Amino acid sequence: MENIAWSAFDVLLIAATLSLAWASLTTEHLRRAVIFFIAFGLLLSLIWLRLKAPDVALAEAAIGAGLTGALLLAAVADHQKPINKKPDQKFSLADFVANTFLNLLFIAFAIVFGAAYTFALNEVNDSRLTDIVFQHLPGTGVTNPVTGVLLDFRAYDTMLELAVLLAAALGVMAIGKTRRDFVKPGDMERGLSQWLIPTLIILSLYLLWAGANAPGGAFQAAALLAAAGVVMRLTGYVDGGLPQGIWLRVLLVSGVGGFLLVSLIMMFAGRIYFDYPESWAGSLILLIESMATISIAATLVVAYLCGQPDTWFGGQQKENKHAD
Amino acid sequence: MINLIALCLILFGLFFFIAGSIGILRLPDIHSRLHALTKADNLGLGFLALGLILLSGDIFIAAKLLLAWLLVIASSAASAQLIAQRARRRERDVWKI
């Protein structure tokens, strides 16, 4: 009975996810495509939960659906004119062939996706990697295997990922000034933001702290912190809560910087880099994760602002255009 | 006994979700659709969370479920207001009221 219920749930989940992906790709309206994409991300995080990967599910829901959705919506708002023009009604053989090809491709993809999902749920009993991870986990100072892998076993890769994010932030800031203003926020938006922002910050701290022994960690915490920044941007704080000038740069590099600092200290202490002493490992990982959280959140907010904050140059605070 | 009460609460919550979904599909204009949608968010999720709290029997899980419900209520209330305001503005423009 329970198995049948789960199978029904799985079939519905797969069908809904694939339909949303299809709808997002084929709809004529950009805004509608983005909204389908957000819903697709939420269902995708359910799939990750189903595959027993709650860390990935949290990251997908917070970054994939939430923040990417906000980014895409803002980008659509920048291009008010529809990019997709009404297709000609005349029958064209080339279009027909292309459409048929795309449909076939999508059906093939859907079959592969469904097969992979079933395979992952039923066939995979291979616990070689899991065993190795749990065998070495006591030395890392954390009990969440995902955090242990990310911050200890493959700390070097995680540091390079943060470097990639830093490069992305530099690229965004090279665009120049931030995008134009949004619609002026009303009383309700401001009232909502007054308690939503503190709640988001507390939840972000919770996820950061919980990452040591439960699903959570730097990326998920950073997504919530960045969401607070997005809410600030939408409710009249033009700089999204980011500091100015040199302090913004400090925030952006603090993720890679924290990693490098810790590993350099370890090297001077006579160890191999990224090899933490066992009694300190938990605290060091928390320190690195805290700095990474701040820097990832700053990167995401810079991406949402789509350029340097208004007050970047000159140091003079411009008049807040949203203030009444 | 607790299981039975929890089951009833969850079924009651699901009823609101079903009603809300039917409402979105069947109701004629945006304001009444929003009305149906927010009922599903508030009451449906509320009963669902209550039933799950009874099933979990853990104070921390209960607090988390309650928090999730409160956050959904706040965001659904705010977004419903925003969508309705936007729709009214557009109606005013169209009908020149």
Side-chain angles (χ1 to χ4, degrees):
Chain A
M1 183 61 201
E2 203 170 320
N3 277 337
I4 296 176
W6 275 118
S7 307
F9 178 77
D10 288 336
V11 169
L12 274 180
L13 188 59
I14 294 273
T17 312
L18 288 173
S19 319
L20 280 171
W22 179 240
S24 173
L25 287 173
T26 52
T27 181
E28 303 262 307
H29 301 269
L30 274 180
R31 188 184 299 268
R32 211 170 283 173
V34 171
I35 290 168
F36 280 133
F37 177 77
I38 295 172
F40 166 77
L42 286 176
L43 285 188
L44 200 58
S45 75
L46 272 186
I47 289 186
W48 284 119
L49 266 188
R50 211 34 206 118
L51 296 177
K52 292 179 189 147
D55 292 82
V56 190
L58 268 177
E60 171 63 35
I63 299 181
L67 268 170
T68 316
L71 272 179
L72 288 173
L73 277 180
V76 169
D78 278 354
H79 294 274
Q80 285 294 351
K81 288 172 203 152
I83 290 178
N84 293 355
K85 285 183 187 146
K86 271 264 177 203
D88 288 338
Q89 294 302 317
K90 260 199 298 185
F91 179 79
S92 125
L93 188 66
D95 279 355
F96 178 73
V97 171
N99 280 336
T100 316
F101 179 68
L102 279 181
N103 286 340
L104 286 176
L105 210 61
F106 190 80
I107 290 170
F109 170 74
I111 292 170
V112 171
F113 189 77
Y117 183 83
T118 331
F119 180 77
L121 269 186
N122 299 321
E123 309 290 327
V124 179
N125 282 319
D126 185 6
S127 57
R128 277 175 308 175
L129 272 177
T130 323
D131 286 346
I132 296 175
V133 167
F134 275 107
Q135 195 184 332
H136 292 92
L137 202 58
T140 62
V142 294
T143 50
N144 177 6
V146 177
T147 306
V149 170
L150 281 181
L151 272 299
D152 196 326
F153 300 163
R154 41 152 282 183
Y156 189 61
D157 303 61
T158 308
M159 188 195 79
L160 287 183
E161 281 169 11
L162 291 175
V164 168
L165 277 179
L166 177 63
L170 293 181
V172 170
M173 291 212 295
I175 292 174
K177 237 168 68 70
T178 50
R179 59 161 58 90
R180 66 185 175 74
D181 285 339
F182 297 119
V183 180
K184 199 176 141 190
D187 289 338
M188 200 193 51
E189 289 95 316
R190 276 200 294 269
L192 183 71
S193 73
Q194 273 173 11
W195 68 269
L196 193 56
I197 291 169
T199 314
L200 282 170
I201 293 174
I202 291 174
L203 281 178
S204 154
L205 289 177
Y206 166 74
L207 274 183
L208 176 64
W209 181 255
N213 48 32
F219 278 88
Q220 293 87 343
L224 282 187
L225 205 55
V230 169
V231 172
M232 283 184 81
R233 172 69 181 88
L234 287 172
T235 50
Y237 299 90
V238 185
D239 53 7
L242 287 177
Q244 301 168 32
I246 187 76
W247 287 109
L248 179 58
R249 301 179 206 204
V250 170
L251 287 194
L252 287 177
V253 297
S254 66
V256 188
F259 252 123
L260 281 178
L261 212 64
V262 169
S263 68
L264 276 180
I265 292 174
M266 289 304 118
M267 278 170 80
F268 278 119
R271 292 173 156 270
I272 316 169
Y273 59 103
F274 294 125
D275 177 28
Y276 319 127
E278 206 157 306
S279 53
W280 283 60
S283 320
L284 283 177
I285 285 182
L286 186 64
L287 174 74
I288 294 175
E289 277 210 297
S290 313
M291 294 178 83
T293 301
I294 292 173
S295 116
I296 298 169
T299 307
L300 291 172
V301 176
V302 162
Y304 186 71
L305 294 178
C306 190
Q308 299 157 3
D310 255 356
T311 47
W312 179 260
F313 290 111
Q316 260 186 334
Q317 182 86 32
K318 271 192 201 163
E319 194 184 334
N320 192 340
K321 283 171 198 158
H322 288 299
D324 284 346
Chain B
M1 188 60 199
I2 285 186
N3 280 351
L4 196 68
I5 299 175
L7 184 71
C8 286
L9 283 172
I10 290 175
L11 283 178
F12 209 51
L14 289 182
F15 165 75
F16 277 100
F17 271 107
I18 293 171
S21 310
I22 294 175
I24 281 199
L25 293 173
R26 301 283 300 174
L27 288 175
D29 68 346
I30 194 164
H31 301 288
S32 36
R33 278 182 199 163
L34 279 175
H35 167 79
L37 183 67
T38 44
K39 293 305 155 296
D41 276 355
N42 296 353
L43 287 169
L45 194 65
F47 281 118
L48 211 61
L50 214 57
L52 291 177
I53 284 172
L54 282 184
L55 278 186
S56 75
D58 180 348
I59 185 83
F60 285 108
I61 294 180
K64 277 184 206 172
L65 283 168
L66 207 65
L67 182 67
W69 179 49
L70 285 177
L71 281 173
V72 169
I73 282 191
S75 71
S76 89
S79 51
Q81 286 286 331
L82 286 176
I83 294 172
Q85 276 175 13
R86 178 77 188 250
R88 269 196 75 163
R89 220 175 295 146
R90 191 175 290 172
E91 282 157 20
R92 217 159 40 207
D93 291 348
V94 169
W95 301 106
K96 303 269 189 287
I97 300 169

